[in-house]
Amino acid sequence: MRSWRRLWPQLGLGLLLTGSAYTQAANRCFYDGVSQTTLSHIIQQVSDRYQLAVLTNYPQPDTTWLAQPLGDCSLSEFLNYATANSGWHYRQTAAGVVLVFQPQNATETAANNIAEEVIVTAAPFIRDASLASRYNSNTLSTRATLSRGQLAGNNDLTSSVAATSAVAFSQEAGMDRNLSIRGLGADFTRVLVNGMPMLATGTSIDARGSVNNSRSFDFDMLPPGLFTQVELDKSAAARTEEGAIAGSVDLRTPLPLADDNAGQQWFALQNEQNLSHDGKGVALSGGLQGARDNGTAGTIGWLLGLSYRTRATQERGFSTVRWQTADWGEQPALSVEQQTQLESGAVFYPRHNRYDILDREQISYGLNSALQWHNTGWGDFDLTAFMARSQQTMHEYHISSAGLKTQDLSHIRVNDFATRHAGMVYGNFSGVDIRSEHNYETDETRLGQLKFDWYLPLSERVRLHSALGYQRSVFDSPDHDKVTLMSYAQDFSFDLRQNDRFALNHYGFDITNPQEWQLYQINLREDQVTNQYRVASFELDIKHNDNFRHFAGTQLQGFLNDRAEGEYNNSDINGPVGEFYQRTPGDFSAGPGPSGLPHHWIVGSHAVIDALGTNTALVHDPLQQRRLNEYTWSSWWQTSYEFWQWPWPLRGDLGLRYSATRQLVRGRWSIDSDSSAVNNSSDYADWLPAFHLVMQARDDLLLRFGYRRDLARPSIEDLTSPLLLRSSARLVEGGNTQLQPSRAHSFDVSAEWYGDEQQFFSAGLFYKRIDSLVVAQVEELTLEQLPYYNPQWDQLALSDGLYTYRRPVNGPGTDISGLELNLQLPFYFLPAALQNFGVRVSYALNRGLVRYPLDDGVTTLPAPGLSRHVVNSELWFRNQSVSAGLTLKARSQYLTRVPGANNNDREGVNASLITGAYLRWNASPELTFSLDARNLGNEPFDLFVDKTNRVYSYSTTGTEILAGISLNFSDH
């Protein structure tokens, strides 16, 4: 452990003291440091001397000046001197020499950063920047570019990711949250910001898992308008950091020297309105950047961007909080046949039959800045900073049949019921306790990143890239307070026969009369999660010759996850509601669901917490706290190759990465009432080879093959979660500190056709062999048989007997395979009236089965998060000033948990189809008006349990309209 810590100051000092002495080797081809000529003249010289076409889409070749090479130069020598330190880069292809302007920046080497390339055979066929980046990539990488200050809508960050490939986002409250690639869940996807890993913790309502303390990135935490580029890589090279079996996403903030127009100012304003309720919002972003050429002292560029957004939503729906079986005892009101059904123990019923209203108010704001100093005697320096803060205030209002949640219901009278597929879809009861809940929660996520990059030329062919980075995110929920009211022993009925997603409930009393309710319980909770990354790396970039380029580097990374929770419960407040009540907001019957729903109901007021003096009495249970530390050292070597002279030009890369990780989990546990420390450590190391081959069968046809060995580390929650008892469900859940990563071999093969006028089609097959997946192990145990015991359970346990014990384990592996199709087709070949229309479609077919362990064997079902079908598509209209379109994002059903809780065989999310529309009018080069509509069909968020598709949670958030205006000024 100490040896790892000693490496930090040594490596940091080594990075800062690295020096160089640039020496110019004698060469028959040389540059005198003075001679200049125009781009047009350079093009003419290449054509005359080397009999090659030169291709570029730069609009001003006669006014752009480059260095004039002198002497007897080979083609590569001539181009190297002409483009050195100019922001110009070249690629040799079978079609000729391609010249493109793309200044060096902190993201990657210039040779891999071609964003606006045009390659032609008689006519240009790549005008789209994302297609150009895909064409030039050796890996299966796509890149989308966003305008500076881009706010929410069809062209925002997550929509841009979905536009480039058939990937899927999970949604909540109308927002994209977690990313799924190739049928694998978000824990298998690695998200980076400016090339550095970032993890942001968010939250949901309790019934959906509450705090997301996993490795999946929550995109909802990012303010809009701060990013200008997103790159998605499904088959990474050896240089790319491990941890992304599904793929990696790199989000980039803008850099002032990243294009030839360093002087810019931008401002965007947007108004949001929800058509289904009174939800409103406003967003704005702005920024400015500039540069100054100091001659021999180099060029300095600076940038500052700001973002702010408010948003209010209301989610309405119905939930059961799982289905279960119960002991109903003798029921004299039932027929013999019905009594026999209940006694069989095979009838599942909904535990809570709950109506839900979720009011959210969200505020996010952020800042990004950059300072660049290029073309100095000591190389290029980039300093980037990113900060964001996302705040949420949430009110949850529920009314439920809480008296049915336990498994001993012999005291409840069943008057009548009906079943379908072994599930109770209608029930009429007497003696049911009805519960009203009002949850009030405030939470905040703070993100920050600081990164320093140094690009240093050591010689004409050798370059050193050093980087230091620090990232920290803190999720803080100081208020998670719940006031519960109860109305005891009431008549109650529910009916799911006409609408199997939304029950019609009837209560045997007036739920809007506060006299019918009693104060029952107060629960107070607070939660804080800290994630922290520290990264130091350096890499040598060696241009061996025209055919080979080598990369060798090393990286040391430290990661910390620290979680602290506190809780207070008071169940001794039974008594009249008095003045501590309020009515639910809005009209619940105006939302989704059958006719006959209640308009309102009574919930407790949080003023009772202050009145009883319980708002500061939280207890921090040391047995519920855990800390995870991970220290990873990795080194890599990679050779990129290109043989453009061959009849079928070849390019690609071959590399090997070594990664070693030490993992420590700390906390406390209790055995026989004696508390002792948890201090578990584990080490693992992996060799991770990668190979990619791109064959240029024709100028417009690429054939690709890729292989990568990679791993995905276990979820933080799975590693660190202490034992948690849910007494009413007789369920105990906990983590496993000895989990190992999932490791996989990934293979890709594809063909890509690049046609005229932005036409594009690709077809690809992928296969992943995952050695081991983390799955849930379920056992029936008594509390005394658990690995450790929390004395606080004594007052929670209902009785002795068996409990379901659920924990994650390294289970069997699986094979994930699939087909990916991408089509981009402008209708320029149709009659004139339709030539401005076009279509874009991305489709993925995914397949993968997992053998999940059960208490009495195994079950084979799809992998968690795997949607068999994913479609992202767009029908567009575009001309010089107007662009408009209809969008569709669809994914089929996927699983989230196997086996499900309460003896359900699975839990998951049903298929969704989300439509949208947009309109853009470029009134002038500086002024743009926009109009976006999201979720036109008010698609529900539909969770289910069991193979019979019983409803778990069903809710809608409405259709949102966003109207905006943006201004962008430049010095040119």
Side-chain angles (χ1 to χ4, degrees):
M1 179 65 190
R2 294 177 180 175
S3 62
W4 285 85
R5 290 178 174 173
R6 286 199 296 267
L7 282 175
W8 282 101
Q10 295 172 12
L11 183 55
L13 182 61
L15 290 172
L16 293 175
L17 295 181
T18 302
S20 72
Y22 177 81
T23 59
Q24 183 175 0
N27 199 312
R28 57 195 175 97
C29 178
F30 68 96
Y31 174 55
D32 60 8
V34 178
S35 301
Q36 299 281 310
T37 190
T38 64
L39 173 60
S40 294
H41 190 214
I42 292 290
I43 293 173
Q44 181 182 350
Q45 292 178 76
V46 173
S47 300
D48 293 342
R49 291 188 189 184
Y50 309 103
Q51 299 300 306
L52 288 173
V54 179
L55 316 170
T56 183
N57 66 340
Y58 198 72
Q60 299 172 325
D62 295 325
T63 60
T64 300
W65 292 84
L66 296 176
Q68 173 61 63
L70 303 173
D72 186 11
C73 301
S74 68
L75 174 62
S76 60
E77 289 171 333
F78 184 90
L79 293 173
N80 283 336
Y81 278 125
T83 60
N85 299 320
S86 66
W88 282 89
H89 312 292
Y90 71 90
R91 178 183 288 280
Q92 297 168 330
T93 73
V97 175
V98 180
L99 283 170
V100 60
F101 182 80
Q102 181 68 29
Q104 297 173 357
N105 56 45
T107 64
E108 56 190 339
T109 60
N112 294 327
N113 198 20
I114 298 178
E116 299 181 12
E117 179 171 310
V118 172
I119 300 177
V120 298
T121 302
F125 65 78
I126 301 183
R127 294 177 181 269
D128 187 289
S130 64
L131 292 183
S133 68
R134 179 172 182 142
Y135 185 94
N136 285 283
S137 171
N138 289 336
T139 63
L140 197 57
S141 173
T142 56
R143 181 183 302 153
T145 302
L146 291 73
S147 61
R148 280 166 166 73
Q150 175 66 54
L151 295 175
N154 180 71
N155 294 328
D156 65 7
L157 183 66
T158 56
S159 297
S160 297
V161 175
T164 63
S165 188
V167 298
F169 283 92
S170 64
Q171 287 216 339
E172 186 171 344
M175 298 296 293
D176 293 328
R177 295 199 65 176
N178 305 121
L179 176 62
S180 171
I181 302 175
R182 290 182 164 176
L184 290 169
D187 276 342
F188 294 90
T189 300
R190 193 161 185 82
V191 176
L192 303 100
V193 173
N194 294 325
M196 180 181 170
M198 177 171 280
L199 188 60
T201 299
T203 187
S204 178
I205 66 173
D206 292 345
R208 299 177 189 161
S210 191
V211 175
N212 168 33
N213 190 29
S214 68
R215 296 189 194 268
S216 61
F217 187 85
D218 194 338
F219 283 81
D220 192 27
M221 298 296 102
L222 299 176
L226 297 181
F227 297 91
T228 55
Q229 189 180 98
V230 53
E231 183 169 356
L232 172 66
D233 199 340
K234 297 180 181 178
S235 180
R239 299 171 61 200
T240 304
E241 186 175 344
E242 72 279 357
I245 289 179
S248 63
V249 178
D250 194 358
L251 313 175
R252 298 283 180 172
T253 55
L255 294 168
L257 300 182
D259 52 49
D260 62 335
N261 188 12
Q264 294 187 54
Q265 307 85 43
W266 61 93
F267 175 78
L269 177 65
Q270 189 176 69
N271 183 70
E272 302 180 25
Q273 177 66 59
N274 194 296
L275 299 183
S276 300
H277 54 81
D278 196 31
K280 298 179 181 180
V282 64
L284 59 89
S285 66
L288 66 165
Q289 66 179 50
R292 186 177 66 184
D293 187 351
N294 296 314
T296 57
T299 301
I300 295 178
W302 56 270
L303 179 145
L304 179 66
L306 300 170
S307 172
Y308 173 81
R309 185 186 189 191
T310 64
R311 181 172 181 262
T313 65
Q314 185 177 90
E315 188 176 353
R316 302 174 187 171
F318 169 78
S319 59
T320 61
V321 197
R322 295 181 299 275
W323 295 54
Q324 69 179 17
T325 59
D327 177 7
W328 296 92
E330 293 291 332
Q331 297 292 338
L334 299 181
S335 67
V336 174
E337 180 182 358
Q338 289 178 316
Q339 182 69 48
T340 302
Q341 272 188 286
L342 292 184
E343 289 178 352
S344 71
V347 176
F348 284 78
Y349 73 97
R351 297 173 65 233
H352 279 271
N353 294 291
R354 191 172 76 172
Y355 290 152
D356 307 313
I357 301 175
L358 311 175
D359 276 350
R360 294 180 174 91
E361 294 183 4
Q362 298 169 313
I363 300 176
S364 64
Y365 42 96
L367 176 149
N368 66 290
S369 61
L371 179 64
Q372 294 182 281
W373 188 13
H374 283 195
N375 304 323
T376 74
W378 287 79
D380 298 341
F381 302 91
D382 292 345
L383 180 65
T384 58
F386 168 75
M387 291 174 283
R389 178 170 291 188
S390 177
Q391 298 172 325
Q392 176 177 260
T393 300
M394 180 164 60
H395 289 266
E396 299 180 42
Y397 307 97
H398 307 288
I399 183 171
S400 68
S401 56
L404 300 177
K405 70 178 182 177
T406 64
Q407 291 184 305
D408 182 2
L409 296 179
S410 56
H411 61 287
I412 300 293
R413 175 173 176 172
V414 184
N415 301 312
D416 192 12
F417 73 92
T419 62
R420 183 188 302 148
H421 304 303
M424 188 182 293
V425 293
Y426 165 73
N428 187 305
F429 312 94
S430 298
V432 178
D433 295 341
I434 305 300
R435 186 168 71 186
S436 168
E437 297 177 37
H438 179 191
N439 295 351
Y440 170 73
E441 179 177 351
T442 62
D443 57 71
E444 177 181 81
T445 299
R446 301 184 298 275
L447 291 170
Q449 183 194 79
L450 184 66
K451 189 165 185 277
F452 173 73
D453 291 271
W454 182 10
Y455 298 87
L456 180 65
L458 301 178
S459 71
E460 182 180 333
R461 295 183 178 274
V462 181
R463 188 182 188 213
L464 175 66
H465 174 205
S466 305
L468 292 170
Y470 176 80
Q471 181 264 325
R472 180 182 174 89
S473 70
V474 178
F475 168 81
D476 191 10
S477 179
D479 304 300
H480 193 154
D481 305 338
K482 179 167 65 177
V483 177
T484 304
L485 309 181
M486 197 74 79
S487 186
Y488 298 97
Q490 298 288 350
D491 292 337
F492 170 77
S493 69
F494 73 91
D495 195 341
L496 285 162
R497 291 174 294 185
Q498 301 302 317
N499 186 333
D500 66 353
R501 315 317 291 172
F502 213 117
L504 180 61
N505 294 342
H506 289 289
Y507 308 91
F509 67 104
D510 183 2
I511 60 176
T512 64
N513 182 0
Q515 302 299 321
E516 298 281 357
W517 294 96
Q518 297 283 313
L519 285 172
Y520 172 69
Q521 190 177 56
I522 291 175
N523 304 92
L524 309 179
R525 283 171 46 197
E526 63 181 22
D527 204 340
Q528 186 176 84
V529 180
T530 300
N531 297 295
Q532 178 179 285
Y533 278 102
R534 295 176 294 166
V535 180
S537 67
F538 66 87
E539 180 184 64
L540 285 173
D541 177 356
I542 306 168
K543 188 173 183 182
H544 186 78
N545 54 35
D546 292 343
N547 301 117
F548 295 100
R549 189 172 191 166
H550 310 291
F551 302 90
T554 188
Q555 175 179 286
L556 183 62
Q557 175 179 289
F559 171 69
L560 163 71
N561 174 269
D562 192 4
R563 184 171 185 180
E565 301 172 83
E567 187 170 4
Y568 166 84
N569 296 290
N570 186 344
S571 301
D572 300 323
I573 58 172
N574 287 323
V577 172
E579 61 184 27
F580 301 116
Y581 71 90
Q582 65 186 76
R583 195 173 66 168
T584 54
D587 184 354
F588 185 75
S589 65
S595 59
L597 297 176
H599 298 281
H600 312 279
W601 63 88
I602 292 296
V603 294
S605 168
H606 279 259
V608 70
I609 297 176
D610 294 326
L612 296 179
T614 58
N615 57 334
T616 59
L618 272 66
V619 177
H620 288 263
D621 180 3
L623 305 181
Q624 297 297 108
Q625 321 304 328
R626 288 293 187 272
R627 168 179 283 208
L628 170 67
N629 287 94
E630 286 178 347
Y631 302 93
T632 301
W633 172 70
S634 56
S635 295
W636 62 91
W637 157 80
Q638 177 181 313
T639 293
S640 297
Y641 57 88
E642 181 171 11
F643 303 100
W644 62 274
Q645 308 93 336
W646 292 8
W648 280 25
L650 295 178
R651 55 186 167 91
D653 59 66
L654 174 66
L656 182 64
R657 187 180 190 92
Y658 175 77
S659 175
T661 299
R662 172 167 292 183
Q663 182 177 280
L664 298 98
V665 179
R666 297 182 177 129
R668 300 196 68 81
W669 63 15
S670 180
I671 301 177
D672 298 330
S673 300
D674 294 326
S675 179
S676 59
V678 176
N679 195 359
N680 293 330
S681 65
S682 60
D683 299 88
Y684 51 87
D686 296 89
W687 292 96
L688 306 171
F691 171 68
H692 297 89
L693 172 67
V694 182
M695 179 182 296
Q696 189 173 322
R698 299 186 328 208
D699 288 340
D700 59 356
L701 179 63
L702 298 183
L703 305 178
R704 295 182 182 270
F705 171 80
Y707 165 75
R708 170 74 190 252
R709 174 73 167 168
D710 210 333
L711 59 86
R713 295 183 174 88
S715 165
I716 298 169
E717 193 76 11
D718 286 344
L719 280 169
T720 65
S721 180
L723 291 183
L724 176 65
L725 172 67
R726 303 182 189 277
S727 57
S728 63
R730 302 192 70 84
L731 175 67
V732 179
E733 297 177 293
N736 183 352
T737 61
Q738 300 302 314
L739 288 175
Q740 290 291 304
S742 297
R743 298 173 173 89
H745 298 278
S746 299
F747 299 87
D748 290 271
V749 60
S750 64
E752 300 172 356
W753 173 72
Y754 298 79
D756 296 337
E757 301 295 336
Q758 302 183 50
Q759 297 179 47
F760 172 74
F761 176 74
S762 71
L765 299 172
F766 67 88
Y767 170 77
K768 297 180 183 291
R769 174 56 197 172
I770 303 178
D771 299 341
S772 174
L773 281 176
V774 175
V775 296
Q777 182 184 69
V778 179
E779 302 175 271
E780 297 294 325
L781 302 173
T782 64
L783 295 181
E784 290 75 16
Q785 293 174 300
L786 293 170
Y788 65 92
Y789 185 77
N790 189 334
Q792 294 189 12
W793 292 352
D794 293 338
Q795 50 187 310
L796 294 176
L798 296 180
S799 62
D800 295 332
L802 293 178
Y803 283 73
T804 300
Y805 174 43
R806 184 187 186 99
R807 69 168 190 149
V809 296
N810 285 105
T814 186
D815 299 319
I816 305 291
S817 58
L819 166 70
E820 293 181 322
L821 302 174
N822 293 278
L823 172 67
Q824 183 168 296
L825 183 63
F827 296 157
Y828 74 95
F829 51 86
L830 295 180
L834 300 176
Q835 288 185 357
N836 288 330
F837 287 88
V839 66
R840 171 189 55 80
V841 180
S842 298
Y843 169 75
L845 172 66
N846 307 300
R847 183 184 183 277
L849 298 176
V850 176
R851 291 169 58 86
Y852 296 93
L854 302 177
D855 195 27
D856 56 352
V858 297
T859 183
T860 302
L861 289 170
L866 187 145
S867 289
R868 187 165 177 79
H869 305 281
V870 176
V871 178
N872 294 320
S873 64
E874 176 185 357
L875 174 66
W876 79 70
F877 170 87
R878 297 171 185 168
N879 61 27
Q880 291 184 348
S881 59
V882 175
S883 62
L886 299 173
T887 62
L888 178 147
K889 295 188 290 185
R891 67 183 300 186
S892 57
Q893 184 186 91
Y894 62 95
L895 303 181
T896 57
R897 189 177 191 180
V898 178
N902 302 94
N903 294 318
N904 292 278
D905 66 352
R906 69 196 72 179
E907 298 177 16
V909 181
N910 273 318
S912 63
L913 191 153
I914 301 173
T915 56
Y918 68 91
L919 174 65
R920 303 279 184 277
W921 174 41
N922 298 316
S924 70
E926 297 83 17
L927 177 62
T928 300
F929 295 94
S930 64
L931 184 65
D932 290 85
R934 300 198 304 191
N935 195 12
L936 285 171
N938 195 15
E939 186 72 7
F941 185 49
D942 186 1
L943 283 71
F944 72 93
V945 297
D946 197 70
K947 62 185 177 183
T948 58
N949 195 23
R950 300 174 184 133
V951 60
Y952 179 102
S953 177
Y954 180 94
S955 61
T956 61
T957 54
T959 300
E960 289 183 304
I961 303 297
L962 303 93
I965 181 175
S966 62
L967 296 166
N968 196 316
F969 300 97
S970 65
D971 296 344
H972 291 77

